[in-house]
């Protein structure tokens, strides 16, 4: 599972003083063009194929023809799966990103995260020491380039963006590590496909 990414990171009070409360969300307007495009593609490409599939299941003549030519049925089914994966899944991801937000609370050696959508609310928490450390990650998008300080967990879906800025210097990164009593870890840990824990180095002394 991939780490969920958010565009808008709002930190309450001082980011270098516990407790830290962070609200994460996505700018709705930036998702609108992609949402409109993928919805249009779904309407033009996927819906007609679904309509044909329903017609094929309800029409005795079409069912008989497909039974006589099973290779054609397989090709049509594969085409439907292909276009659904190419269009419907990205459409779902864009929609979920637009309607999701996250609340993060770090205090007393614990990390609590509340993930919310209009359809569900998921709360999870774990000790701060279960995280490997803090990584400095540079993200490039259509909006430009920004740097993120990320609290890294061996399970990538549990990694958390702590702050974002045009530039996060080493002093800011060190202050975060001192505050959380965790080491600096390489940004490559965010993309380690093995999802294996990194051998803990000595944490930065507070």
């Amino acid at each position: 599972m991939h780490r969920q990414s958010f565009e808008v990171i709002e930190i309450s009070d001082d980011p270098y003083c516990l407790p830290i409360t962070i609200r994460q969300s996505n700018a709705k307007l930036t998702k609108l063009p992609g949402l409109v495009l993928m919805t249009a593609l779904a309407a033009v490409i996927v819906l007609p194929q679904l309509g044909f599939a329903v017609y094929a299941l309800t029409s005795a003549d079409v069912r008989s023809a497909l039974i006589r030519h099973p290779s054609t049925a397989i090709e049509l089914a594969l085409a439907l799966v292909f276009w659904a994966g190419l269009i419907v899944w990205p459409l779902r991801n864009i929609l979920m990103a637009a309607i999701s937000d996250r609340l993060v609370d770090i205090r007393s050696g614990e990390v609590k995260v509340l993930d919310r959508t209009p359809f569900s609310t998921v709360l999870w928490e774990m000790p701060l020491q279960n995280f490997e450390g803090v990584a400095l990650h540079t993200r490039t998008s259509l909006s430009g380039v920004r740097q993120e300080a990320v609290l890294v967990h061996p399970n990538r879906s549990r990694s958390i963006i702590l702050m974002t800025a045009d530039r996060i210097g080493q002093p800011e990164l060190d202050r975060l590590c001192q505050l959380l009593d965790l080491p600096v870890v390489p940004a490559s840990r965010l993309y380690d496909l093995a999802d294996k824990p990194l051998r803990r180095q000595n944490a930065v002394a507070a």
Side-chain angles (χ1 to χ4, degrees):
M1 185 181 298
H2 294 289
R3 172 175 62 96
Q4 188 168 4
S5 179
F6 294 94
E7 298 168 350
V8 182
I9 309 297
E10 303 173 75
I11 306 175
S12 64
D13 301 322
D14 187 348
Y16 303 109
C17 181
L18 294 175
I20 299 175
T21 303
I22 308 168
R23 183 178 185 274
Q24 305 180 351
S25 59
N26 288 297
K28 306 298 186 290
L29 289 179
T30 62
K31 301 296 181 184
L32 186 59
L35 186 61
V36 171
L37 174 62
M38 299 308 292
T39 300
L41 290 175
V44 171
I45 298 175
V46 179
L47 287 183
Q49 294 190 51
L50 285 175
F52 177 76
V54 172
Y55 174 72
L57 292 175
T58 57
S59 171
D61 292 339
V62 177
R63 286 202 308 271
S64 299
L66 292 177
I67 291 173
R68 290 195 302 270
H69 302 88
S71 61
T72 301
I74 293 174
E75 289 175 0
L76 292 174
L78 289 176
L80 178 59
V81 171
F82 171 79
W83 286 111
L86 192 65
I87 296 175
V88 177
W89 188 253
L91 175 60
R92 176 261 182 199
N93 289 341
I94 294 173
L95 180 61
M96 291 304 296
I99 63 176
S100 300
D101 70 359
R102 165 176 284 184
L103 293 175
V104 179
D105 185 86
I106 303 175
R107 68 180 71 206
S108 304
E110 294 287 327
V111 178
K112 295 183 180 181
V113 178
L114 182 67
D115 287 319
R116 301 183 300 188
T117 74
F119 315 108
S120 66
T121 299
V122 178
L123 173 66
W124 56 271
E125 57 186 291
M126 65 179 60
L128 186 57
Q129 291 302 313
N130 283 17
F131 291 83
E132 295 181 351
V134 181
L136 182 61
H137 174 247
T138 300
R139 179 180 298 278
T140 303
S141 68
L142 294 176
S143 303
V145 179
R146 75 175 188 183
Q147 290 190 312
E148 302 171 342
V150 182
L151 185 61
V152 179
H153 190 271
N155 180 339
R156 286 172 293 164
S157 67
R158 292 292 190 252
S159 293
I160 301 167
I161 301 174
L162 297 174
M163 67 166 58
T164 64
D166 292 339
R167 184 180 183 279
I168 299 175
Q170 191 62 44
E172 290 84 1
L173 194 63
D174 289 342
R175 287 182 67 184
L176 276 176
C177 290
Q178 291 171 356
L179 176 68
L180 303 175
D181 193 27
L182 291 171
V184 176
V185 297
S188 59
R189 286 298 297 159
L190 296 170
Y191 304 100
D192 190 338
L193 298 179
D195 274 352
K196 295 178 179 178
L198 181 71
R199 180 176 294 179
R200 176 64 60 83
Q201 305 293 325
N202 292 331
V204 178

